[in-house]
Coordinates of all heavy atoms in Angstrom, one line a residue:
S1 N 0.8 -1.2 0.0 CA 0.0 0.0 -0.1 C 0.9 1.3 0.0 O 2.1 1.2 0.4 CB -0.8 0.0 1.2 OG -0.2 0.2 2.4
A2 N 0.3 2.4 -0.4 CA 1.1 3.6 -0.6 C 0.2 4.8 -0.1 O -1.0 4.6 -0.2 CB 1.6 3.8 -2.0
E3 N 0.9 5.8 0.2 CA 0.2 6.9 0.5 C 0.3 7.9 -0.7 O 1.4 8.0 -1.3 CB 0.7 7.8 1.8 CG 0.5 7.0 3.0 CD 0.7 7.7 4.3 OE1 0.6 9.0 4.2 OE2 0.9 7.1 5.3
L4 N -0.7 8.8 -1.0 CA -0.5 9.8 -2.0 C 0.0 11.1 -1.4 O -0.6 11.4 -0.3 CB -1.9 10.1 -2.7 CG -1.9 11.1 -3.7 CD1 -1.1 10.6 -4.9 CD2 -3.3 11.6 -4.0
A5 N 1.0 11.6 -1.8 CA 1.6 12.8 -1.4 C 1.5 14.0 -2.3 O 1.7 13.9 -3.5 CB 3.1 12.6 -1.1
L6 N 1.0 15.0 -1.8 CA 0.7 16.3 -2.6 C 1.6 17.4 -2.0 O 1.6 17.5 -0.8 CB -0.7 16.7 -2.6 CG -1.7 15.7 -3.2 CD1 -3.1 16.2 -3.0 CD2 -1.4 15.3 -4.5
V7 N 2.3 18.2 -2.7 CA 2.9 19.4 -2.3 C 2.1 20.6 -2.8 O 1.8 20.7 -3.9 CB 4.4 19.6 -2.9 CG1 5.0 20.8 -2.4 CG2 5.2 18.4 -2.5
C8 N 1.5 21.3 -1.8 CA 0.6 22.3 -2.1 C 1.0 23.7 -1.6 O 1.8 23.9 -0.7 CB -0.7 22.1 -1.3 SG -1.4 20.4 -1.6
T9 N 0.7 24.8 -2.4 CA 0.9 26.2 -1.9 C -0.4 27.0 -2.0 O -1.2 26.7 -2.8 CB 2.0 26.7 -2.8 OG1 1.5 26.8 -4.2 CG2 3.3 26.1 -2.7
S10 N -0.4 28.0 -1.1 CA -1.6 28.8 -1.1 C -1.1 30.2 -0.5 O -0.3 30.3 0.3 CB -2.6 28.3 -0.2 OG -3.7 29.2 0.0
S11 N -1.7 31.2 -1.2 CA -1.5 32.7 -0.6 C -2.9 33.1 -0.2 O -3.0 34.3 0.3 CB -1.0 33.5 -1.6 OG -1.7 33.6 -2.8
R12 N -3.8 32.3 0.0 CA -5.2 32.6 0.4 C -5.4 32.4 1.8 O -4.9 31.4 2.4 CB -6.2 31.9 -0.4 CG -7.7 32.2 -0.1 CD -8.5 31.4 -1.2 NE -9.9 31.8 -0.9 CZ -10.7 31.1 -0.2 NH1 -10.4 30.1 0.5 NH2 -11.9 31.5 0.0
A13 N -6.0 33.2 2.6 CA -6.4 33.1 3.9 C -7.2 31.8 4.1 O -8.2 31.7 3.4 CB -7.0 34.3 4.6
A14 N -7.0 31.0 5.0 CA -7.7 29.9 5.3 C -9.2 30.2 5.9 O -10.1 29.5 5.7 CB -7.0 29.0 6.3
F15 N -9.2 31.4 6.5 CA -10.5 31.8 7.1 C -11.0 33.1 6.5 O -10.0 33.9 6.2 CB -10.4 31.8 8.6 CG -9.9 30.6 9.2 CD1 -8.7 30.4 9.6 CD2 -10.9 29.5 9.3 CE1 -8.3 29.0 10.1 CE2 -10.5 28.2 9.9 CZ -9.2 28.1 10.3
A16 N -12.2 33.5 6.4 CA -12.7 34.5 5.6 C -12.1 35.8 6.4 O -11.7 36.8 5.7 CB -14.2 34.6 5.7
N17 N -12.1 35.9 7.7 CA -11.6 37.1 8.4 C -10.2 37.1 8.8 O -9.7 37.8 9.6 CB -12.5 37.3 9.6 CG -13.9 37.6 9.2 OD1 -14.2 38.2 8.2 ND2 -14.8 37.0 10.0
A18 N -9.3 36.3 8.3 CA -7.8 36.1 8.7 C -7.1 37.2 8.1 O -5.9 37.4 8.6 CB -7.4 34.8 8.3
G19 N -7.5 37.9 7.1 CA -6.7 38.9 6.5 C -5.6 38.3 5.5 O -5.6 37.1 5.4
P20 N -4.8 39.2 4.9 CA -3.9 38.6 4.0 C -2.8 37.7 4.6 O -2.4 38.0 5.8 CB -3.3 39.8 3.3 CG -3.5 40.9 4.4 CD -4.6 40.5 5.0
M21 N -2.4 36.7 3.8 CA -1.3 35.9 4.5 C -0.2 35.7 3.3 O -0.4 35.8 2.2 CB -1.9 34.4 4.6 CG -2.8 34.3 5.7 SD -3.6 32.7 5.9 CE -2.2 31.8 6.3
A22 N 0.9 35.4 3.9 CA 2.2 35.2 2.9 C 2.0 33.8 2.3 O 1.3 33.0 2.9 CB 3.4 35.3 3.7
P23 N 2.5 33.6 1.2 CA 2.5 32.3 0.6 C 2.9 31.1 1.6 O 4.0 31.4 2.2 CB 3.2 32.4 -0.7 CG 3.4 33.8 -1.0 CD 3.3 34.5 0.4
N24 N 2.2 30.1 1.5 CA 2.6 28.9 2.5 C 2.8 27.7 1.6 O 2.2 27.5 0.5 CB 1.6 28.7 3.5 CG 1.5 29.8 4.5 OD1 2.4 30.0 5.2 ND2 0.5 30.6 4.5
S25 N 3.4 26.7 2.0 CA 3.5 25.4 1.4 C 3.4 24.2 2.4 O 3.7 24.5 3.7 CB 4.7 25.2 0.5 OG 5.9 25.3 1.3
A26 N 2.9 23.1 2.0 CA 2.6 22.0 2.9 C 2.7 20.7 2.1 O 2.5 20.7 0.9 CB 1.4 22.1 3.6
F27 N 2.9 19.5 2.9 CA 2.7 18.3 2.2 C 1.4 17.9 2.8 O 0.9 18.1 3.9 CB 3.7 17.3 2.9 CG 5.1 17.4 2.2 CD1 6.1 18.1 2.9 CD2 5.4 16.9 1.0 CE1 7.4 18.2 2.4 CE2 6.7 17.1 0.5 CZ 7.7 17.7 1.0
L28 N 0.6 17.2 1.9 CA -0.6 16.7 2.2 C -0.6 15.1 1.9 O -0.2 14.8 0.8 CB -1.7 17.4 1.4 CG -3.1 17.0 1.8 CD1 -4.1 18.2 1.8 CD2 -3.7 15.9 0.7
F29 N -1.0 14.4 2.8 CA -1.0 13.0 2.6 C -2.4 12.4 2.7 O -3.1 12.7 3.6 CB -0.2 12.2 3.8 CG 1.3 12.5 3.6 CD1 1.9 13.5 4.3 CD2 2.1 11.8 2.8 CE1 3.3 13.8 4.3 CE2 3.5 12.1 2.6 CZ 4.0 13.1 3.5
I30 N -2.7 11.4 1.8 CA -3.9 10.8 1.9 C -3.5 9.3 2.4 O -2.7 8.6 1.9 CB -4.6 10.6 0.5 CG1 -5.0 12.0 0.0 CG2 -5.9 9.6 0.6 CD1 -5.5 11.9 -1.4
K31 N -4.1 8.9 3.5 CA -3.8 7.5 4.1 C -4.0 6.5 3.2 O -4.9 6.5 2.4 CB -4.7 7.4 5.5 CG -4.4 8.5 6.4 CD -3.1 8.1 7.0 CE -2.9 9.1 8.2 NZ -1.7 8.9 9.0
P32 N -3.2 5.4 3.3 CA -3.2 4.3 2.3 C -4.6 3.6 2.0 O -4.9 3.4 1.0 CB -2.2 3.3 3.0 CG -1.4 4.1 3.8 CD -2.2 5.2 4.3
H33 N -5.4 3.5 3.1 CA -6.7 2.9 2.9 C -7.6 3.8 2.2 O -8.7 3.3 1.6 CB -7.3 2.5 4.3 CG -7.7 3.7 5.1 ND1 -6.8 4.4 5.9 CD2 -8.9 4.2 5.2 CE1 -7.5 5.4 6.3 NE2 -8.7 5.5 6.1
A34 N -7.3 5.1 2.0 CA -8.2 6.0 1.4 C -7.8 6.4 -0.1 O -8.4 7.2 -0.7 CB -8.4 7.2 2.3
V35 N -6.7 5.9 -0.5 CA -6.2 6.3 -1.8 C -7.0 5.6 -2.9 O -6.8 4.5 -3.3 CB -4.7 6.0 -1.9 CG1 -4.2 6.4 -3.4 CG2 -3.8 6.6 -1.1
T36 N -8.1 6.3 -3.3 CA -8.9 5.8 -4.4 C -9.0 7.0 -5.4 O -8.8 8.2 -5.0 CB -10.2 5.3 -3.9 OG1 -11.0 6.5 -3.4 CG2 -10.1 4.3 -2.9
D37 N -9.5 6.7 -6.6 CA -9.6 7.8 -7.6 C -10.6 8.8 -7.1 O -10.6 10.0 -7.2 CB -10.0 7.2 -8.9 CG -8.9 6.5 -9.7 OD1 -7.8 6.7 -9.4 OD2 -9.2 5.6 -10.5
K38 N -11.8 8.4 -6.3 CA -12.7 9.2 -5.9 C -12.2 10.1 -4.8 O -12.5 11.3 -4.9 CB -13.9 8.3 -5.3 CG -15.2 9.1 -5.0 CD -16.3 8.2 -4.5 CE -17.5 9.0 -4.2 NZ -18.6 8.1 -3.7
V39 N -11.4 9.6 -3.8 CA -10.8 10.5 -2.8 C -9.8 11.3 -3.4 O -9.8 12.6 -3.1 CB -10.2 9.6 -1.8 CG1 -9.3 10.4 -0.8 CG2 -11.4 8.8 -1.0
K40 N -9.0 11.0 -4.2 CA -8.0 11.8 -5.0 C -8.8 13.0 -5.7 O -8.4 14.2 -5.6 CB -7.1 11.1 -5.9 CG -6.2 10.2 -5.1 CD -5.1 9.5 -6.0 CE -5.7 8.6 -7.1 NZ -4.5 7.9 -7.8
D41 N -9.8 12.7 -6.4 CA -10.5 13.7 -7.1 C -11.2 14.7 -6.1 O -11.1 15.9 -6.3 CB -11.7 13.1 -8.0 CG -11.1 12.4 -9.2 OD1 -9.8 12.6 -9.6 OD2 -11.8 11.6 -9.8
L42 N -11.7 14.3 -5.0 CA -12.3 15.1 -4.0 C -11.2 16.0 -3.4 O -11.5 17.2 -3.2 CB -12.9 14.3 -3.0 CG -13.5 15.0 -1.7 CD1 -14.7 15.9 -2.3 CD2 -14.1 14.2 -0.7
V43 N -10.1 15.4 -3.0 CA -9.1 16.3 -2.5 C -8.7 17.4 -3.3 O -8.6 18.6 -3.0 CB -7.9 15.4 -1.9 CG1 -6.7 16.3 -1.6 CG2 -8.3 14.5 -0.9
K44 N -8.4 17.0 -4.7 CA -8.0 18.0 -5.6 C -9.1 19.0 -5.8 O -8.8 20.3 -5.9 CB -7.7 17.4 -7.0 CG -6.4 16.5 -7.0 CD -6.2 15.8 -8.2 CE -5.1 14.9 -8.1 NZ -4.9 14.1 -9.4
E45 N -10.3 18.7 -5.8 CA -11.5 19.7 -6.1 C -11.6 20.6 -4.9 O -11.6 21.8 -5.1 CB -12.8 18.8 -6.1 CG -14.0 19.7 -6.2 CD -15.3 18.9 -6.2 OE1 -15.3 17.7 -6.7 OE2 -16.2 19.3 -5.6
V46 N -11.4 20.1 -3.6 CA -11.4 21.0 -2.5 C -10.2 21.9 -2.5 O -10.4 23.1 -2.2 CB -11.6 20.2 -1.1 CG1 -11.4 21.0 0.1 CG2 -12.9 19.4 -1.1
L47 N -9.1 21.4 -2.7 CA -8.0 22.3 -2.7 C -8.0 23.4 -3.8 O -7.8 24.5 -3.5 CB -6.6 21.4 -3.0 CG -6.3 20.5 -1.9 CD1 -5.0 19.7 -2.4 CD2 -5.9 21.2 -0.7
E48 N -8.4 23.0 -5.0 CA -8.6 24.0 -6.1 C -9.8 25.0 -5.7 O -9.6 26.3 -6.0 CB -8.9 23.2 -7.4 CG -7.7 22.7 -7.9 CD -8.1 21.7 -9.1 OE1 -9.3 21.6 -9.6 OE2 -7.1 21.1 -9.6
K49 N -10.9 24.5 -5.1 CA -12.0 25.5 -4.7 C -11.4 26.5 -3.7 O -12.0 27.5 -3.7 CB -13.1 24.6 -4.1 CG -14.2 25.4 -3.8 CD -15.2 24.4 -3.1 CE -16.7 24.6 -3.5 NZ -17.6 23.6 -2.8
N50 N -10.4 26.0 -3.0 CA -9.9 27.0 -1.9 C -8.6 27.7 -2.3 O -7.8 28.2 -1.5 CB -9.6 26.3 -0.7 CG -11.0 26.0 0.2 OD1 -11.6 26.7 0.7 ND2 -11.4 24.8 -0.1
E51 N -8.4 27.7 -3.7 CA -7.2 28.4 -4.3 C -5.9 27.8 -3.8 O -5.0 28.6 -3.6 CB -7.4 29.9 -4.1 CG -8.6 30.5 -4.8 CD -8.8 32.0 -4.6 OE1 -7.8 32.6 -4.3 OE2 -9.9 32.4 -4.6
I52 N -5.9 26.7 -3.6 CA -4.6 26.0 -3.2 C -4.1 25.1 -4.3 O -4.8 24.4 -5.0 CB -4.8 25.0 -2.0 CG1 -5.3 25.8 -0.7 CG2 -3.5 24.2 -1.6 CD1 -5.8 24.9 0.4
T53 N -2.9 25.5 -4.8 CA -2.4 25.0 -6.0 C -1.4 23.6 -5.7 O -0.7 23.7 -4.7 CB -1.3 25.9 -6.6 OG1 -2.2 27.1 -7.0 CG2 -0.7 25.5 -8.0
I54 N -1.7 22.6 -6.4 CA -0.8 21.4 -6.2 C 0.4 21.5 -7.2 O 0.2 21.7 -8.3 CB -1.7 20.1 -6.6 CG1 -2.8 20.0 -5.7 CG2 -0.7 18.9 -6.5 CD1 -3.9 18.9 -6.1
K55 N 1.4 21.6 -6.5 CA 2.7 21.8 -7.2 C 3.4 20.5 -7.7 O 4.1 20.5 -8.7 CB 3.7 22.5 -6.3 CG 3.3 23.9 -5.9 CD 3.3 24.9 -7.2 CE 3.1 26.2 -6.8 NZ 3.1 27.2 -8.0
K56 N 3.1 19.5 -6.9 CA 3.7 18.1 -7.3 C 3.0 17.1 -6.5 O 2.4 17.2 -5.5 CB 5.2 18.1 -6.7 CG 6.0 17.0 -7.2 CD 7.4 17.0 -6.8 CE 8.3 15.9 -7.2 NZ 9.6 15.8 -7.0
E57 N 2.9 15.9 -7.3 CA 2.1 14.8 -6.9 C 2.8 13.6 -7.0 O 3.6 13.4 -7.9 CB 0.9 14.8 -7.6 CG -0.1 13.7 -7.2 CD -1.5 13.8 -8.0 OE1 -1.8 14.8 -8.6 OE2 -2.1 12.6 -8.1
G58 N 2.9 12.7 -6.0 CA 3.6 11.4 -6.1 C 2.9 10.5 -5.0 O 2.0 10.7 -4.4
S59 N 3.7 9.3 -4.9 CA 3.3 8.4 -3.9 C 4.4 7.8 -3.1 O 5.6 7.9 -3.6 CB 2.5 7.1 -4.6 OG 3.4 6.4 -5.4
L60 N 4.3 7.4 -1.9 CA 5.3 6.8 -1.1 C 4.9 5.3 -0.7 O 3.8 5.2 -0.2 CB 5.5 7.6 0.2 CG 6.0 8.9 0.1 CD1 5.8 9.7 1.4 CD2 7.4 9.0 -0.4
A61 N 5.6 4.3 -1.0 CA 5.4 2.9 -0.6 C 5.6 2.9 0.9 O 6.4 3.5 1.6 CB 6.4 2.1 -1.3
A62 N 4.8 2.0 1.4 CA 4.8 1.7 2.9 C 6.2 1.2 3.4 O 6.7 1.7 4.4 CB 3.8 0.6 3.3
E63 N 6.9 0.5 2.5 CA 8.3 0.1 2.8 C 9.2 1.3 3.0 O 10.1 1.4 3.9 CB 8.9 -0.8 1.8 CG 8.1 -2.2 1.7 CD 6.8 -2.1 0.9 OE1 6.6 -1.1 0.2 OE2 5.8 -2.9 1.1
E64 N 9.1 2.3 2.2 CA 9.9 3.6 2.2 C 9.6 4.4 3.4 O 10.5 4.9 4.2 CB 9.6 4.4 0.9 CG 10.5 5.6 1.0 CD 10.4 6.4 -0.3 OE1 9.7 6.0 -1.3 OE2 10.9 7.5 -0.4
I65 N 8.2 4.4 3.8 CA 7.8 5.2 4.9 C 8.4 4.5 6.1 O 9.0 5.2 7.1 CB 6.3 5.2 5.0 CG1 5.6 6.0 3.9 CG2 5.9 5.8 6.3 CD1 4.3 5.9 3.7
D66 N 8.4 3.3 6.3 CA 9.0 2.5 7.4 C 10.5 2.6 7.5 O 11.2 2.9 8.5 CB 8.6 1.0 7.4 CG 7.2 0.8 7.8 OD1 6.6 1.8 8.4 OD2 6.5 -0.3 7.4
K67 N 11.2 2.3 6.3 CA 12.6 2.2 6.3 C 13.2 3.7 6.8 O 14.3 3.7 7.4 CB 13.1 2.0 4.8 CG 14.6 1.9 4.7 CD 14.9 1.6 3.2 CE 16.5 1.6 3.1 NZ 16.8 1.2 1.7
Y68 N 12.6 4.8 6.2 CA 13.2 6.1 6.6 C 12.6 6.8 7.7 O 12.8 7.9 8.0 CB 13.2 7.0 5.3 CG 13.9 6.5 4.2 CD1 13.4 5.8 3.0 CD2 15.5 6.5 4.2 CE1 14.2 5.3 2.0 CE2 16.3 5.9 3.3 CZ 15.7 5.3 2.1 OH 16.4 4.9 1.1
K69 N 11.7 5.9 8.5 CA 11.1 6.4 9.7 C 10.4 7.8 9.4 O 10.4 8.8 10.2 CB 12.0 6.6 10.8 CG 12.6 5.2 11.1 CD 13.5 5.4 12.3 CE 14.3 4.1 12.7 NZ 13.7 2.9 12.6
K70 N 9.6 7.9 8.2 CA 9.0 9.3 7.9 C 8.0 9.7 8.9 O 7.9 10.9 9.3 CB 8.5 9.2 6.5 CG 9.7 9.0 5.4 CD 9.1 9.2 4.1 CE 10.2 9.1 3.0 NZ 11.0 10.4 2.9
I71 N 7.2 8.8 9.3 CA 6.1 9.2 10.3 C 6.6 9.5 11.7 O 6.3 10.5 12.3 CB 5.1 8.0 10.4 CG1 4.4 8.0 9.1 CG2 4.1 8.3 11.7 CD1 3.4 6.9 9.0
D72 N 7.8 8.7 12.1 CA 8.4 8.9 13.4 C 9.0 10.3 13.3 O 8.9 11.0 14.4 CB 9.5 7.9 13.6 CG 9.0 6.5 13.8 OD1 7.8 6.3 14.1 OD2 9.6 5.5 13.4
K73 N 9.7 10.7 12.4 CA 10.4 11.9 12.3 C 9.4 13.1 12.2 O 9.6 14.2 12.8 CB 11.3 12.1 10.9 CG 12.5 11.2 11.0 CD 13.3 11.2 9.9 CE 14.5 10.3 9.9 NZ 15.2 10.3 8.6
H74 N 8.3 12.9 11.6 CA 7.2 13.9 11.4 C 6.6 14.2 12.8 O 6.6 15.4 13.2 CB 6.1 13.4 10.5 CG 5.0 14.3 10.5 ND1 4.9 15.5 10.0 CD2 3.7 14.0 11.0 CE1 3.6 16.0 10.2 NE2 2.9 15.2 10.8
Y75 N 6.2 13.1 13.5 CA 5.7 13.3 14.8 C 6.7 13.8 15.9 O 6.4 14.6 16.8 CB 4.8 12.2 15.3 CG 3.6 12.0 14.6 CD1 3.3 11.1 13.7 CD2 2.5 13.0 14.9 CE1 2.1 11.0 12.9 CE2 1.4 13.0 14.3 CZ 1.2 12.0 13.2 OH 0.0 11.9 12.7
Y76 N 7.9 13.4 15.8 CA 9.0 13.9 16.6 C 9.2 15.4 16.5 O 9.3 16.2 17.5 CB 10.4 13.2 16.3 CG 11.4 13.8 17.1 CD1 11.7 13.5 18.5 CD2 12.4 14.8 16.5 CE1 12.6 14.1 19.2 CE2 13.3 15.4 17.3 CZ 13.6 15.0 18.6 OH 14.5 15.6 19.3
A77 N 9.2 15.9 15.2 CA 9.3 17.3 15.0 C 8.2 18.1 15.7 O 8.4 19.2 16.3 CB 9.4 17.7 13.5
I78 N 6.9 17.6 15.6 CA 5.8 18.3 16.1 C 5.9 18.2 17.7 O 5.7 19.2 18.3 CB 4.5 17.5 15.8 CG1 4.2 17.8 14.2 CG2 3.3 18.1 16.6 CD1 3.1 17.0 13.6
A79 N 6.2 17.1 18.3 CA 6.3 16.9 19.7 C 7.5 17.7 20.3 O 7.4 18.3 21.4 CB 6.5 15.4 20.0
S80 N 8.6 17.8 19.6 CA 9.6 18.6 20.0 C 9.3 20.1 20.2 O 9.6 20.8 21.0 CB 10.9 18.5 19.3 OG 10.8 18.9 18.1
K81 N 8.6 20.6 19.2 CA 8.2 22.0 19.3 C 7.2 22.2 20.3 O 7.2 23.3 21.0 CB 7.5 22.5 17.9 CG 8.4 22.5 16.8 CD 9.1 23.8 16.8 CE 9.9 23.9 15.4 NZ 11.1 24.7 15.6
A82 N 6.2 21.3 20.5 CA 5.3 21.4 21.5 C 5.9 21.4 23.0 O 5.3 22.1 23.9 CB 4.3 20.2 21.5
T83 N 7.1 20.9 23.1 CA 7.6 20.9 24.5 C 8.4 22.1 24.9 O 8.6 22.6 26.0 CB 8.6 19.7 24.7 OG1 9.6 19.8 23.7 CG2 7.8 18.4 24.6
I84 N 8.7 23.0 23.8 CA 9.4 24.2 24.1 C 8.7 25.5 23.8 O 8.9 26.5 24.3 CB 10.8 24.2 23.1 CG1 10.4 24.3 21.7 CG2 11.7 23.1 23.4 CD1 11.6 24.5 20.8
L85 N 7.5 25.4 23.2 CA 6.7 26.5 23.1 C 5.7 26.7 24.1 O 5.2 25.7 24.7 CB 6.0 26.5 21.6 CG 6.8 26.3 20.4 CD1 6.1 26.2 19.1 CD2 7.8 27.6 20.3
T86 N 5.3 27.9 24.4 CA 4.3 28.2 25.5 C 3.0 28.8 24.7 O 3.1 29.6 23.8 CB 4.7 29.1 26.4 OG1 5.1 30.4 25.8 CG2 5.9 28.5 27.3
P87 N 1.8 28.5 25.2 CA 0.7 29.1 24.6 C 0.7 30.6 25.0 O 0.7 30.9 26.2 CB -0.5 28.3 25.2 CG 0.1 27.7 26.4 CD 1.5 27.5 26.3
D88 N 0.6 31.5 24.0 CA 0.5 32.8 24.2 C -0.8 33.4 24.0 O -1.6 33.0 23.3 CB 1.6 33.5 23.4 CG 3.0 33.2 23.7 OD1 3.3 33.0 24.9 OD2 3.8 33.3 22.7

């Protein structure tokens, strides 16, 4: 099984009253059990509707995710930030 990975960019505010935002980019993953043509089409439709541009699209094999500890590294990065930042 594989996850679908999309690299997305947007300069649009995520919320109507958020005001102007600088361009941002992100990885978006569709979980392996949900990678179907219908889900991929829905994700693309919602992103485009919200003026989010897909810059690149690809897939990651489960073996690659495990071998390179991609999920472990992702959650480690989030957890390490959470332990040093304070809610302001």
